[in-house]
């Protein structure tokens, strides 16, 4: 799918990639029909912790949550915090809903109560992010963004100056931006981009292990597990503090 592409590909209003894969299973479709409307981010207007969660709780935002394993893990870990995830791929949304509903807890094991602190947007993350007031986010996650490895597609990468300026605007001072990738081209590109934003972000890194070893509280997603175990990829983990 390529939707609402604008003339300048560095602008923020972009959505590339696939929106639909295999047909949903009946249980997943039921969650999309019944649970998603109850926890969906409103399609218009400001997006605040008060409006979504009824209180001024710390706000987390995940861009492109895939199957939602990281989103659900974090939401379960931090029940007093509010989590917003955006993902245009409906099969990923449906998978995430199985975790949020408690039917399929991310850690495995028997069904759990639903996670009450997750809101989902089925669509472009940057569109929702643009509606969050500046300085609102405590955490922002971008894990294994689509790599767009061809040089002529580099402007489609989520790690570019336009989106990174928006990440900086939406985070509180002291808030954290977490970025992970298993893609060698992407990691070089991302480091180069972040090097242009040192006035906004401090890289929390003193030694190579800080980006080579998975930080605590950062669970592995299915995507990442496959990258490591099936394709033998190295994975890099980056934490940046908003200045
Ligand atoms: C390689 S997958 C990684 C999924 C997940 N973050 C993980 O680590 O398991 C990249 C994801 O980004 C999503 N994506 C691509 N463009 C997006 C956009 N503009 N907004 C939100 N998600 C997007 C894709 O649909 C895909 O699910």
């Amino acid at each position: 799918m390529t939707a609402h592409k604008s003339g300048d590909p560095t602008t923020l209003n972009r959505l590339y990639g696939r929106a639909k894969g295999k047909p949903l299973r009946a249980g997943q479709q039921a969650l999309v029909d019944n649970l998603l409307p109850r926890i969906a981010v409103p399609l218009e207007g400001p997006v605040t912790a008060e409006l979504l969660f009824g209180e001024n709780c710390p706000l987390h935002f995940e861009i492109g949550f895939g199957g939602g394993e990281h989103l659900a893990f974090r939401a379960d870990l931090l029940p007093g915090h509010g989590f917003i995830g955006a993902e245009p791929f409906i099969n990923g949304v449906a998978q995430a809903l199985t975790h949020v509903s408690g039917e399929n807890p991310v850690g495995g094991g028997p069904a759990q109560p639903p996670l009450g602190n997750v809101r989902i947007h089925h669509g472009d993350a940057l569109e929702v992010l643009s509606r969050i007031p500046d300085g609102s986010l405590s955490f922002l996650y971008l894990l294994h963004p689509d790599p767009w490895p061809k040089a002529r597609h580099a402007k489609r990468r989520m790690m570019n100056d336009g989106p990174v300026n928006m990440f900086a605007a939406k985070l509180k001072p002291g808030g954290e931006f977490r970025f992970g990738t298993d893609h060698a081209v992407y990691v070089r590109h991302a480091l180069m981009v972040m090097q242009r934003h040192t006035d906004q972000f401090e890289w929390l890194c003193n030694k190579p292990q800080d980006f080579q070893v998975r930080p605590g509280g950062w669970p592995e997603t299915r995507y990442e597990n496959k990258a490591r175990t099936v394709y033998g990829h190295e994975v890099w983990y980056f934490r940046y503090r908003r200045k």
Side-chain angles (χ1 to χ4, degrees):
M1 172 191 56
T2 302
H4 50 252
K5 246 199 303 183
S6 63
D8 175 1
T10 60
T11 56
L12 300 166
N13 197 10
R14 326 154 309 165
L15 190 52
Y16 307 102
R18 60 184 188 155
K20 202 165 190 297
K22 285 188 294 193
L24 301 183
R25 294 195 303 273
Q28 290 179 325
Q29 187 63 55
L31 288 169
V32 168
D33 293 340
N34 302 315
L35 177 57
L36 183 58
R38 298 210 305 269
I39 64 166
V41 177
L43 291 175
E44 298 182 338
V47 174
T48 66
E50 287 86 349
L51 282 167
L52 294 186
F53 302 104
E55 56 174 322
N56 187 16
C57 55
L59 208 51
H60 301 233
F61 191 95
E62 183 162 344
I63 299 172
F65 55 69
E69 299 92 352
H70 173 273
L71 183 69
F73 176 96
R74 297 286 294 168
D76 190 35
L77 190 71
L78 298 165
H81 295 203
F83 287 78
I84 304 171
E87 171 57 62
F89 187 49
I90 188 65
N91 302 67
V93 170
Q95 180 69 24
L97 291 172
T98 70
H99 302 313
V100 174
S101 70
E103 287 171 16
N104 176 24
V106 268
Q112 300 286 330
L115 295 167
N117 57 340
V118 178
R119 299 291 179 271
I120 285 182
H121 176 66
H122 172 211
D124 182 14
L126 297 182
E127 188 281 312
V128 183
L129 199 55
S130 71
R131 291 190 280 127
I132 295 180
D134 286 356
S136 301
L137 294 179
S138 295
F139 281 87
L140 177 64
Y141 310 99
L142 175 64
L143 309 182
H144 303 281
D146 290 331
W148 296 107
K150 291 183 182 151
R152 71 171 189 275
H153 289 149
K155 293 285 170 64
R156 295 183 176 190
R157 296 176 190 153
M158 197 55 87
M159 288 292 271
N160 265 309
D161 293 320
V164 171
N165 279 327
M166 193 196 275
F167 304 164
K170 301 305 169 184
L171 280 163
K172 291 174 192 285
E176 194 169 313
F177 169 46
R178 293 188 178 181
F179 159 67
T181 186
D182 64 308
H183 201 282
V185 170
Y186 206 102
V187 78
R188 279 197 296 275
H189 171 87
L191 283 171
M192 193 180 68
V193 170
M194 290 308 282
Q195 198 52 41
R196 295 198 287 266
H197 294 265
T198 50
D199 55 329
Q200 296 163 321
F201 289 102
E202 176 194 1
W203 185 13
L204 301 176
C205 178
N206 295 313
K207 51 189 184 311
Q209 285 93 320
D210 293 341
F211 63 88
Q212 290 169 335
V213 178
R214 170 191 310 289
W218 186 328
E220 183 171 69
T221 63
R222 247 176 17 161
Y223 172 90
E224 185 177 315
N225 182 268
K226 191 168 169 187
R228 274 194 321 99
T229 61
V230 178
Y231 303 119
H233 288 182
E234 222 178 310
V235 179
W236 300 282
Y237 310 90
F238 298 90
R239 296 173 56 215
Y240 292 93
R241 182 181 295 134
R242 178 72 170 101
K243 288 184 174 169

PDB file of all heavy atoms in Angstrom, residues 11-27:
ATOM      1  N   THR A  11       8.457  14.857   4.222  1.00  0.00           N
ATOM      2  CA  THR A  11       7.380  15.369   5.071  1.00  0.00           C
ATOM      3  C   THR A  11       6.829  14.232   5.911  1.00  0.00           C
ATOM      4  O   THR A  11       7.191  13.083   5.734  1.00  0.00           O
ATOM      5  CB  THR A  11       6.254  16.000   4.240  1.00  0.00           C
ATOM      6  OG1 THR A  11       5.810  15.022   3.332  1.00  0.00           O
ATOM      7  CG2 THR A  11       6.715  17.243   3.530  1.00  0.00           C
ATOM      8  N   LEU A  12       5.925  14.548   6.783  1.00  0.00           N
ATOM      9  CA  LEU A  12       5.539  13.581   7.801  1.00  0.00           C
ATOM     10  C   LEU A  12       4.342  12.733   7.420  1.00  0.00           C
ATOM     11  O   LEU A  12       4.054  11.745   8.059  1.00  0.00           O
ATOM     12  CB  LEU A  12       5.233  14.339   9.096  1.00  0.00           C
ATOM     13  CG  LEU A  12       6.444  15.115   9.585  1.00  0.00           C
ATOM     14  CD1 LEU A  12       6.042  16.110  10.651  1.00  0.00           C
ATOM     15  CD2 LEU A  12       7.480  14.165  10.120  1.00  0.00           C
ATOM     16  N   ASN A  13       3.647  13.138   6.388  1.00  0.00           N
ATOM     17  CA  ASN A  13       2.383  12.480   6.094  1.00  0.00           C
ATOM     18  C   ASN A  13       2.594  11.368   5.076  1.00  0.00           C
ATOM     19  O   ASN A  13       2.325  11.507   3.910  1.00  0.00           O
ATOM     20  CB  ASN A  13       1.419  13.535   5.546  1.00  0.00           C
ATOM     21  CG  ASN A  13      -0.001  13.060   5.608  1.00  0.00           C
ATOM     22  OD1 ASN A  13      -0.278  12.036   6.222  1.00  0.00           O
ATOM     23  ND2 ASN A  13      -0.881  13.778   4.962  1.00  0.00           N
ATOM     24  N   ARG A  14       3.119  10.218   5.572  1.00  0.00           N
ATOM     25  CA  ARG A  14       3.473   9.170   4.631  1.00  0.00           C
ATOM     26  C   ARG A  14       3.051   7.825   5.194  1.00  0.00           C
ATOM     27  O   ARG A  14       3.022   7.626   6.384  1.00  0.00           O
ATOM     28  CB  ARG A  14       4.977   9.097   4.415  1.00  0.00           C
ATOM     29  CG  ARG A  14       5.681  10.384   4.475  1.00  0.00           C
ATOM     30  CD  ARG A  14       7.119  10.180   4.886  1.00  0.00           C
ATOM     31  NE  ARG A  14       7.233   9.380   6.093  1.00  0.00           N
ATOM     32  CZ  ARG A  14       8.351   8.834   6.481  1.00  0.00           C
ATOM     33  NH1 ARG A  14       9.431   8.940   5.769  1.00  0.00           N
ATOM     34  NH2 ARG A  14       8.407   8.151   7.609  1.00  0.00           N
ATOM     35  N   LEU A  15       2.762   6.916   4.297  1.00  0.00           N
ATOM     36  CA  LEU A  15       2.453   5.560   4.726  1.00  0.00           C
ATOM     37  C   LEU A  15       2.803   4.633   3.588  1.00  0.00           C
ATOM     38  O   LEU A  15       2.239   4.723   2.513  1.00  0.00           O
ATOM     39  CB  LEU A  15       0.970   5.474   5.060  1.00  0.00           C
ATOM     40  CG  LEU A  15       0.454   4.232   5.733  1.00  0.00           C
ATOM     41  CD1 LEU A  15       1.267   3.908   6.973  1.00  0.00           C
ATOM     42  CD2 LEU A  15      -0.991   4.450   6.140  1.00  0.00           C
ATOM     43  N   TYR A  16       3.783   3.790   3.829  1.00  0.00           N
ATOM     44  CA  TYR A  16       4.204   2.853   2.799  1.00  0.00           C
ATOM     45  C   TYR A  16       4.127   1.442   3.376  1.00  0.00           C
ATOM     46  O   TYR A  16       4.143   1.261   4.569  1.00  0.00           O
ATOM     47  CB  TYR A  16       5.654   3.109   2.384  1.00  0.00           C
ATOM     48  CG  TYR A  16       5.950   4.530   1.988  1.00  0.00           C
ATOM     49  CD1 TYR A  16       6.598   5.389   2.857  1.00  0.00           C
ATOM     50  CD2 TYR A  16       5.584   5.004   0.738  1.00  0.00           C
ATOM     51  CE1 TYR A  16       6.888   6.686   2.485  1.00  0.00           C
ATOM     52  CE2 TYR A  16       5.860   6.301   0.361  1.00  0.00           C
ATOM     53  CZ  TYR A  16       6.516   7.134   1.237  1.00  0.00           C
ATOM     54  OH  TYR A  16       6.803   8.418   0.875  1.00  0.00           O
ATOM     55  N   GLY A  17       4.131   0.456   2.483  1.00  0.00           N
ATOM     56  CA  GLY A  17       4.201  -0.916   2.978  1.00  0.00           C
ATOM     57  C   GLY A  17       2.866  -1.602   2.870  1.00  0.00           C
ATOM     58  O   GLY A  17       1.899  -1.053   2.342  1.00  0.00           O
ATOM     59  N   ARG A  18       2.783  -2.833   3.412  1.00  0.00           N
ATOM     60  CA  ARG A  18       1.564  -3.605   3.207  1.00  0.00           C
ATOM     61  C   ARG A  18       0.580  -3.368   4.348  1.00  0.00           C
ATOM     62  O   ARG A  18       0.972  -3.176   5.497  1.00  0.00           O
ATOM     63  CB  ARG A  18       1.864  -5.087   3.048  1.00  0.00           C
ATOM     64  CG  ARG A  18       2.548  -5.693   4.243  1.00  0.00           C
ATOM     65  CD  ARG A  18       2.908  -7.128   3.975  1.00  0.00           C
ATOM     66  NE  ARG A  18       3.398  -7.706   5.221  1.00  0.00           N
ATOM     67  CZ  ARG A  18       3.366  -8.979   5.523  1.00  0.00           C
ATOM     68  NH1 ARG A  18       2.871  -9.844   4.674  1.00  0.00           N
ATOM     69  NH2 ARG A  18       3.821  -9.416   6.663  1.00  0.00           N
ATOM     70  N   ALA A  19      -0.702  -3.379   4.001  1.00  0.00           N
ATOM     71  CA  ALA A  19      -1.742  -3.123   4.993  1.00  0.00           C
ATOM     72  C   ALA A  19      -2.465  -4.406   5.379  1.00  0.00           C
ATOM     73  O   ALA A  19      -3.112  -4.471   6.415  1.00  0.00           O
ATOM     74  CB  ALA A  19      -2.750  -2.126   4.439  1.00  0.00           C
ATOM     75  N   LYS A  20      -2.355  -5.436   4.555  1.00  0.00           N
ATOM     76  CA  LYS A  20      -3.142  -6.648   4.783  1.00  0.00           C
ATOM     77  C   LYS A  20      -2.361  -7.859   4.312  1.00  0.00           C
ATOM     78  O   LYS A  20      -1.707  -7.811   3.268  1.00  0.00           O
ATOM     79  CB  LYS A  20      -4.445  -6.546   3.993  1.00  0.00           C
ATOM     80  CG  LYS A  20      -5.555  -7.420   4.505  1.00  0.00           C
ATOM     81  CD  LYS A  20      -6.888  -6.974   3.899  1.00  0.00           C
ATOM     82  CE  LYS A  20      -8.062  -7.657   4.560  1.00  0.00           C
ATOM     83  NZ  LYS A  20      -8.066  -9.095   4.392  1.00  0.00           N
ATOM     84  N   GLY A  21      -2.417  -8.939   5.069  1.00  0.00           N
ATOM     85  CA  GLY A  21      -1.773 -10.181   4.660  1.00  0.00           C
ATOM     86  C   GLY A  21      -2.805 -11.279   4.549  1.00  0.00           C
ATOM     87  O   GLY A  21      -3.818 -11.121   3.868  1.00  0.00           O
ATOM     88  N   LYS A  22      -2.573 -12.360   5.300  1.00  0.00           N
ATOM     89  CA  LYS A  22      -3.519 -13.494   5.254  1.00  0.00           C
ATOM     90  C   LYS A  22      -4.868 -13.061   5.812  1.00  0.00           C
ATOM     91  O   LYS A  22      -4.927 -12.165   6.663  1.00  0.00           O
ATOM     92  CB  LYS A  22      -2.983 -14.623   6.150  1.00  0.00           C
ATOM     93  CG  LYS A  22      -1.817 -15.380   5.542  1.00  0.00           C
ATOM     94  CD  LYS A  22      -1.476 -16.582   6.386  1.00  0.00           C
ATOM     95  CE  LYS A  22      -0.942 -16.185   7.757  1.00  0.00           C
ATOM     96  NZ  LYS A  22      -0.310 -17.245   8.519  1.00  0.00           N
ATOM     97  N   PRO A  23      -5.964 -13.728   5.391  1.00  0.00           N
ATOM     98  CA  PRO A  23      -7.258 -13.427   6.017  1.00  0.00           C
ATOM     99  C   PRO A  23      -7.177 -13.668   7.526  1.00  0.00           C
ATOM    100  O   PRO A  23      -6.474 -14.578   7.975  1.00  0.00           O
ATOM    101  CB  PRO A  23      -8.214 -14.429   5.360  1.00  0.00           C
ATOM    102  CG  PRO A  23      -7.515 -14.915   4.141  1.00  0.00           C
ATOM    103  CD  PRO A  23      -6.044 -14.773   4.368  1.00  0.00           C
ATOM    104  N   LEU A  24      -7.887 -12.854   8.296  1.00  0.00           N
ATOM    105  CA  LEU A  24      -7.857 -13.005   9.756  1.00  0.00           C
ATOM    106  C   LEU A  24      -8.615 -14.262  10.160  1.00  0.00           C
ATOM    107  O   LEU A  24      -9.608 -14.630   9.533  1.00  0.00           O
ATOM    108  CB  LEU A  24      -8.503 -11.787  10.421  1.00  0.00           C
ATOM    109  CG  LEU A  24      -7.874 -10.432  10.132  1.00  0.00           C
ATOM    110  CD1 LEU A  24      -8.592  -9.339  10.927  1.00  0.00           C
ATOM    111  CD2 LEU A  24      -6.386 -10.431  10.459  1.00  0.00           C
ATOM    112  N   ARG A  25      -8.153 -14.890  11.245  1.00  0.00           N
ATOM    113  CA  ARG A  25      -8.919 -16.014  11.811  1.00  0.00           C
ATOM    114  C   ARG A  25     -10.180 -15.447  12.455  1.00  0.00           C
ATOM    115  O   ARG A  25     -10.241 -14.252  12.793  1.00  0.00           O
ATOM    116  CB  ARG A  25      -8.076 -16.750  12.857  1.00  0.00           C
ATOM    117  CG  ARG A  25      -6.852 -17.443  12.268  1.00  0.00           C
ATOM    118  CD  ARG A  25      -6.284 -18.444  13.273  1.00  0.00           C
ATOM    119  NE  ARG A  25      -5.949 -17.805  14.541  1.00  0.00           N
ATOM    120  CZ  ARG A  25      -4.787 -17.235  14.805  1.00  0.00           C
ATOM    121  NH1 ARG A  25      -3.823 -17.224  13.897  1.00  0.00           N
ATOM    122  NH2 ARG A  25      -4.555 -16.683  15.975  1.00  0.00           N
ATOM    123  N   ALA A  26     -11.182 -16.328  12.661  1.00  0.00           N
ATOM    124  CA  ALA A  26     -12.482 -15.851  13.172  1.00  0.00           C
ATOM    125  C   ALA A  26     -12.310 -15.114  14.505  1.00  0.00           C
ATOM    126  O   ALA A  26     -12.913 -14.056  14.736  1.00  0.00           O
ATOM    127  CB  ALA A  26     -13.441 -17.026  13.316  1.00  0.00           C
ATOM    128  N   GLY A  27     -11.453 -15.654  15.382  1.00  0.00           N
ATOM    129  CA  GLY A  27     -11.260 -15.024  16.695  1.00  0.00           C
ATOM    130  C   GLY A  27     -10.617 -13.652  16.570  1.00  0.00           C
ATOM    131  O   GLY A  27     -10.978 -12.712  17.296  1.00  0.00           O
TER     132      GLY A  27
END
